[in-house]
Amino acid sequence: DIQMTQSPSSVSASVGDRVTITCRASQTISSWLAWYQQKPGKAPKLLISAASTLQSGVPSRFDGSGSGTDYTLTITSLQPEDFATYYCQQGDRYPLTFGGGTKVEIK
Amino acid sequence: EVQLVESGGGLVQPGGSLRLSCAASGFTFSTFWMSWVRQAPGKGLEWVANIKQHGSEKYYVDSVRGRFTISRDNTKNSLFLQMNSLRAEDTAVYYCARAYSSSSDDAFDIWGQGTMVTVSS
C-alpha cells in the first residue's frame, strides 16, 4: 500500500499568512494527488485534483504543486474560513490512501 | 442540486450486520464511479471501497475485504454497502462520495452528510 505522510500535523497561523502543507508518498504517484478541506462535523470538500487542478468554485488562494512523491498545498493568504483540517489523498493505485491530516488553527 | 444522502447507520453488536444506502440526485448516477469513505471518531479519513459505473469493477481496503460488499442500483440511483462481521474498529461515520469526473476514480467531489455506525455490545 502507498503510505501518505503529511506535515505538519498542525499549524497555527494568522489571517493573511501564507501556509504550506506537504504530503509525501511512499512511492511515486504520478501526480494522482488530491487535497481536501474538512471542517468539524462536515464532509470533506475537494479542493484540488491531479496535484494542481483547482476545483470549480475553490478560491485561487489555494495552490497545489508537486510531482513524483512530493506534493504541496499552499494557501497564499489565509482567510477566516480556511481554518480547518486538510487531507491529501493518492489516487494512483488501490487501495486509495489518505494522509493523516493537517489542522490549521488560529494563532 | 447535486446531492448524496446516506442512511442505514446505527448501533450494532460485534459480529452483526448493517446495510448502508446512499441516494443520489441531481446528476447522471450511472456515469460515475462511486465510493465509501469512513472516519472513526476523532480520526482521519479512510477509503473503504469503490465501484465502477455499472458494477463491473469493485475495490476494497484490506481491512474490510471479505466482510463488506459495495453495490449499486443505477435504476434507483442508489449506492449500498453491506457490512457483515462488524468489529469495534469499524465504528465510524461512513460517507458516500462521487468521483469528480465520469472518467476518473481517483478523487471525490460530491460527498454525503455521513451516517454513523457504532459497533458495540
Side-chain angles (χ1 to χ4, degrees):
Chain A
D1 297 2
I2 298 175
Q3 308 303 316
M4 304 300 293
T5 303
Q6 259 183 264
S7 61
S9 57
S10 66
V11 58
S12 294
S14 301
V15 172
D17 284 354
R18 181 185 182 94
V19 173
T20 299
I21 300 168
T22 64
C23 187
R24 173 165 287 175
S26 59
Q27 61 191 87
T28 183
I29 56 172
S30 305
S31 297
W32 293 111
L33 192 283
W35 290 99
Y36 299 85
Q37 175 193 70
Q38 188 180 33
K39 296 182 178 179
K42 300 294 186 183
K45 174 185 177 181
L46 179 64
L47 300 175
I48 288 170
S49 61
S52 60
T53 302
L54 202 65
Q55 294 302 293
S56 175
V58 175
S60 59
R61 63 180 179 273
F62 290 93
D63 180 64
S65 65
S67 62
T69 61
D70 295 324
Y71 299 86
T72 298
L73 173 69
T74 300
I75 310 171
T76 55
S77 177
L78 200 65
Q79 297 302 300
E81 59 269 31
D82 300 337
F83 292 97
T85 300
Y86 294 84
Y87 295 92
C88 63
Q89 175 242 314
Q90 67 83 16
D92 183 61
R93 61 190 62 198
Y94 289 105
L96 307 183
T97 46
F98 287 88
T102 296
K103 187 173 184 179
V104 178
E105 299 175 298
I106 301 172
K107 192 171 187 179
Chain B
E1 180 190 6
V2 176
Q3 195 173 11
L4 297 170
V5 178
E6 302 95 338
S7 60
L11 174 64
V12 60
Q13 292 187 338
S17 298
L18 214 52
R19 188 191 195 212
L20 304 184
S21 299
C22 172
S25 59
F27 65 98
T28 306
F29 180 73
S30 62
T31 64
F32 289 87
W33 282 81
M34 295 296 297
S35 177
W36 289 98
V37 176
R38 67 184 179 183
Q39 187 168 35
K43 302 298 184 182
L45 300 168
E46 180 182 36
W47 171 80
V48 174
N50 267 18
I51 185 168
K52 199 173 181 179
Q53 284 89 338
H54 295 283
S56 58
E57 294 181 35
K58 302 176 184 181
Y59 300 91
Y60 300 92
V61 68
D62 282 350
S63 60
V64 309
R65 187 176 294 112
R67 299 188 299 123
F68 290 11
T69 301
I70 189 172
S71 63
R72 65 192 296 164
D73 184 340
N74 289 342
T75 66
K76 297 181 178 178
N77 293 338
S78 295
L79 177 72
F80 305 100
L81 186 67
Q82 178 65 43
M83 304 186 295
N84 298 331
S85 302
L86 282 161
R87 306 167 180 168
E89 54 265 35
D90 296 319
T91 294
V93 173
Y94 283 74
Y95 294 102
C96 163
R98 187 195 81 170
Y100 70 97
S101 83
S102 58
S103 59
S104 70
D105 64 340
D106 59 289
F108 307 97
D109 67 338
I110 304 297
W111 295 66
Q113 83 287 355
T115 187
M116 183 70 204
V117 172
T118 303
V119 184
S120 175
S121 55

